[in-house]
Amino acid sequence: KIRGYRIELGEIETVLASHESIGAAAVVVRGEVAGEKRLAAYVVAADEERAVSAGELRAYLRERLPEYMVPAAFVTMKALPLTPNGKVDRRALPAEGAAAGGEEFVAPRTPVEQALADIWRDVLGVSRVGVNDNFFDLGGHSLLATRVLSNVRRLFRLELPLRVLFEAHTVAELALAIIPYETQPGQAERIARVLQKLKGISAEEVKRELQRKRRERESR
């Protein structure tokens, strides 16, 4: 069961395999991410010349299956691993780090985009997030959107309505969408730059730096 619903993995695999661009498919349940289990689909393209996107596969499944049976992640493989008996070796399937046939990966370009990508990666449980990756194509849904917005609000000290993430589906879009909610110009950028500097500093060094700044304030 996932989110209270009983899932038939074979049914999802059958529908996936019926897509004209899919030659083979396997669906597994992955361990809990953000407090819940996830479905991950592994697909082999029927024609290597034509890659199929995660968004296309997700839309195809949504037309034929209830929402709770649509996998959160899609991974394209050249071939599915098999056991000596010729069955899919589900234990040999790799971690679902990337969506199938998605947009070319574009790494975060600014401190704000990096901070937002880190939040998405932690909440969604994926290995990396590009600035053009769609939140919902990476497996996001309304519950996870609430968690992302909570982290963004706390990190950047902003009052953001939930609709922001539903209107800004990518990291690049969200980085721009939060600007009107800043109480001071450049607020998010300054916080993100500080976070970027702290990444390479040990906890002890952070403690010493905070103590130094405290002494400076007290001496003024």
Side-chain angles (χ1 to χ4, degrees):
K1 285 188 175 183
I2 295 181
R3 280 185 263 165
Y5 296 102
R6 186 174 296 280
I7 307 295
E8 293 294 339
L9 299 180
E11 184 178 352
I12 304 172
E13 292 171 348
T14 298
V15 176
L16 266 177
S18 70
H19 191 288
E20 62 179 5
S21 297
I22 299 301
V27 178
V28 298
V29 178
R30 287 304 189 193
E32 292 192 2
V33 173
E36 64 181 51
K37 295 179 181 178
R38 295 157 49 98
L39 291 173
Y42 297 81
V43 298
V44 176
D47 181 358
E48 292 186 3
E49 298 294 324
R50 185 188 182 283
V52 58
S53 70
E56 182 180 342
L57 290 177
R58 188 170 282 107
Y60 183 80
L61 291 179
R62 281 175 174 153
E63 292 176 355
R64 296 160 176 80
L65 296 171
E67 181 66 29
Y68 62 83
M69 292 181 70
V70 178
F74 292 83
V75 179
T76 296
M77 304 183 69
K78 291 185 177 180
L80 297 177
L82 302 177
T83 66
N85 295 328
K87 295 182 179 181
V88 176
D89 187 351
R90 298 176 187 275
R91 290 181 296 181
L93 291 169
E96 68 282 12
E103 298 285 336
E104 181 180 352
F105 178 78
V106 178
R109 301 156 297 191
T110 68
V112 173
E113 287 183 347
Q114 184 61 63
L116 292 173
D118 289 344
I119 291 174
W120 284 30
R121 188 190 65 233
D122 293 341
V123 171
L124 293 170
V126 295
S127 61
R128 67 178 188 177
V129 174
V131 297
N132 296 322
D133 290 340
N134 187 295
F135 177 77
F136 298 98
D137 284 350
L138 291 177
H141 50 69
S142 57
L143 176 60
L144 295 181
T146 300
R147 293 176 182 172
V148 165
L149 262 295
S150 176
N151 288 338
V152 173
R153 288 167 180 153
R154 184 173 61 254
L155 179 63
F156 293 113
R157 302 168 190 169
L158 301 173
E159 289 300 324
L160 294 174
L162 182 58
R163 63 177 173 78
V164 169
L165 188 53
F166 287 91
E167 295 172 354
H169 296 174
T170 68
V171 165
E173 292 172 347
L174 186 58
L176 295 175
I178 66 177
I179 293 176
Y181 297 93
E182 294 179 329
T183 56
Q184 298 176 352
Q187 174 181 336
E189 182 74 15
R190 287 194 297 273
I191 292 174
R193 287 188 181 281
V194 171
L195 289 174
Q196 204 169 52
K197 291 179 180 179
L198 292 178
K199 276 188 176 181
I201 302 177
S202 68
E204 185 60 34
E205 289 173 318
V206 171
K207 183 179 178 180
R208 287 200 298 268
E209 181 64 15
L210 290 174
Q211 291 173 340
R212 184 184 68 79
K213 288 184 177 296
R214 189 181 303 114
R215 287 194 297 269
E216 286 181 354
R217 288 196 301 269
E218 292 173 349
S219 64
R220 290 174 186 173

